[in-house]
Amino acid sequence: MASCDDSFDIIVAGAGPVGLSFAASLAKSDLKVAVVEQQALESLAKPPFDGREIALTFASISILRELGAWDAISAGHKSPVQGARVLNGSSPFALCFDSPRGSAEPLGFLVPNCRIRDALFKIIRSQHRVQLLCGRSVVGVSNSRKGAVVKLSDGTRLAARLFVAADSRLSRARDLLGIAADINRLGSSMVICRVRHERAHHQLAIEWFDHHQTIAILPLMEGESSLLLTLRANEANRLLALDDDLFLIELTDRCRGRLGKMTLASKRHIYPLVTTWAHSFWAPSAALVGDAAVGMHPVTAHGFNIGLGGQKRLAHGILTAIRNGHDIADPDMLRRYESHLRLRAAPLYHATNILVGIYSNEHRAARFARHVGLRLGGYLPFVRHGIANMLGR
């Protein structure tokens, strides 16, 4: 390690929302932290709108508030969700999720991904113990119980007591650590855009499993929603290539006029769908957080919530180790972090994959089962409450 260009207590690969949150969670310590990000500093400082609206539970809002990020996001970017509806094809029945009777609180809030990134970036820039290394990527990792040596794309070699991978579900850092993962490329893509529409959304989120497509309608400000359309990859690419007028005509038809007349309120974005589950969430002197550990299917919109809670747990373990005079890469602490994250993430991850499998199956028997299941779910309170609890209400 003496040959390294610089030494840190912790090196984080990836300056996405979870990576930045993790660095911010360590701000009250004296740890020297480096965050390596392949994007240029200018891109991090002014994150562009990418179409993604993040559904935040109150647990996640509490974490962001502790970090100082929640209050840094203007009220105009926080859209309350008063309820949710799950629909199946043309069935008139819906599975409903609403706030408890008598409660004035919404189920959660929708916030643009770029606004969360912006708030967290500003927090990190104000922390003198955190160093952002932008325009570079991690190309090599040598880790052992003694620590980690990280090689960057510009040839720089850095040493750390703990290396943390937070660089997406197709994590290169995870591969460099030799940690295998179940990677499921679903062959589908999600087309996302904001639309203005004539019919009121009443702050209700809709997840509509229709035939050969899934449509999510997320309520933003009055008369505006984020519309997410999941299709086979080739069909999604065809839709994206249409001009605005033809795109809106087809979008209105696919939504069966549910929102009335629509106009585009943003550019269109497309994201191929991939889910991942790492076989291990830690290695000697290393750990995985966020999508590098668990890459959730977006249908439940809770991937970020899982990642945000996971990074808090890891940061808590590190800070507790410091207070107790222990190693910040203590294997027992990392095992406890993994056990906690698996216990929290596994039920939602596997249940979501089963749900997607059932609702994307177009066989007649599966369609009938969906119809029956939706009706039963509406009459069985433990089903609704169980799902609501699983989602972190």
Side-chain angles (χ1 to χ4, degrees):
M1 290 195 183
S3 62
C4 291
D5 298 289
D6 205 352
S7 295
F8 295 87
D9 295 301
I10 297 175
I11 296 173
V12 183
V18 172
L20 292 175
S21 297
F22 176 66
S25 293
L26 301 172
K28 294 181 180 179
S29 72
D30 290 327
L31 294 171
K32 184 181 178 184
V33 180
V35 181
V36 181
E37 171 56 46
Q38 62 182 359
Q39 292 188 76
L41 182 64
E42 294 75 18
S43 298
L44 287 182
K46 296 181 179 179
F49 177 71
D50 61 7
R52 290 179 285 192
E53 308 290 338
I54 306 300
L56 295 171
T57 63
F58 282 95
S60 290
I61 291 171
S62 177
I63 294 173
L64 291 175
R65 182 175 281 119
E66 290 174 7
L67 298 178
W70 181 249
D71 292 334
I73 301 171
S74 67
H77 292 303
K78 302 170 182 175
S79 303
V81 178
Q82 298 295 347
R85 303 289 183 265
V86 180
L87 309 177
N88 175 42
S90 57
S91 171
F93 300 99
L95 193 56
C96 302
F97 301 93
D98 295 303
S99 297
R101 288 185 179 180
S103 173
E105 285 189 334
L107 289 179
F109 285 84
L110 291 163
V111 179
N113 180 57
C114 60
R115 299 278 67 83
I116 297 173
R117 294 174 66 105
D118 180 57
L120 290 168
F121 173 81
K122 289 175 179 175
I123 291 170
I124 293 303
R125 290 291 280 172
S126 68
Q127 304 300 324
H128 71 280
R129 298 289 292 177
V130 179
Q131 186 173 345
L132 282 168
L133 304 177
C134 296
R136 286 170 276 186
S137 58
V138 174
V139 297
V141 180
S142 176
N143 62 302
S144 69
R145 289 287 296 271
K146 295 181 179 180
V149 175
V150 177
K151 182 180 179 181
L152 304 186
S153 54
D154 63 354
T156 301
R157 290 167 60 85
L158 307 175
R161 188 66 201 90
L162 180 67
F163 174 68
V164 177
D167 57 337
S168 84
R169 58 191 63 198
L170 299 178
S171 169
R172 186 176 186 184
R174 182 183 63 216
D175 293 341
L176 293 171
L177 288 168
I179 297 176
D182 295 328
I183 300 175
N184 186 12
R185 299 177 187 272
L186 300 176
S188 301
S189 294
M190 181 176 287
V191 178
I192 308 176
C193 64
R194 283 186 173 188
V195 293
R196 299 185 187 91
H197 46 84
E198 60 182 353
R199 294 183 181 174
H201 51 50
H202 304 294
Q203 300 303 139
L204 294 177
I206 294 174
E207 190 73 39
W208 183 5
F209 296 96
D210 202 7
H211 305 312
H212 303 291
Q213 64 179 17
T214 301
I215 299 175
I217 302 173
L218 306 180
L220 304 176
M221 64 186 71
E222 188 60 38
E224 188 169 317
S225 296
S226 176
L227 200 150
L228 300 81
L229 181 61
T230 301
L231 300 164
R232 300 301 296 174
N234 58 345
E235 186 69 1
N237 290 330
R238 182 194 65 80
L239 190 63
L240 193 72
L242 296 176
D243 64 34
D244 287 352
D245 291 338
L246 289 176
F247 176 76
L248 283 169
I249 290 172
E250 184 160 337
L251 206 60
T252 302
D253 180 62
R254 287 180 177 275
C255 292
R256 301 183 195 173
R258 178 176 291 274
L259 297 174
K261 184 179 179 180
M262 295 187 293
T263 58
L264 282 173
S266 76
K267 293 182 178 179
R268 291 170 266 171
H269 300 81
I270 188 168
Y271 296 97
L273 296 185
V274 180
T275 63
T276 56
W277 180 269
H279 292 184
S280 177
F281 297 162
W282 73 283
S285 300
L288 311 183
V289 297
D291 283 354
V294 181
M296 292 282 298
H297 192 288
V299 69
T300 57
H302 280 277
F304 178 66
N305 295 300
I306 293 291
L308 193 62
Q311 68 77 26
K312 180 182 179 181
R313 182 73 181 192
L314 180 58
H316 174 75
I318 291 169
L319 297 176
T320 300
I322 293 173
R323 287 195 298 270
N324 294 335
H326 295 161
D327 183 6
I328 63 172
D330 176 53
D332 289 336
M333 180 274 290
L334 294 176
R335 287 190 190 97
R336 289 192 295 271
Y337 158 71
E338 177 178 58
S339 296
H340 178 271
L341 182 54
R342 285 190 183 280
L343 186 63
R344 173 161 170 72
L348 185 56
Y349 177 84
H350 294 297
T352 299
N353 290 344
I354 292 171
L355 177 74
V356 171
I358 292 173
Y359 277 86
S360 61
N361 191 324
E362 290 300 320
H363 289 110
R364 183 176 298 178
R367 289 163 63 176
F368 177 74
R370 293 199 296 263
H371 176 73
V372 172
L374 205 61
R375 291 198 66 176
L376 284 177
Y379 289 107
L380 298 176
F382 69 84
V383 174
R384 296 196 308 273
H385 295 161
I387 294 175
N389 289 335
M390 184 172 66
L391 295 182
R393 174 70 177 91

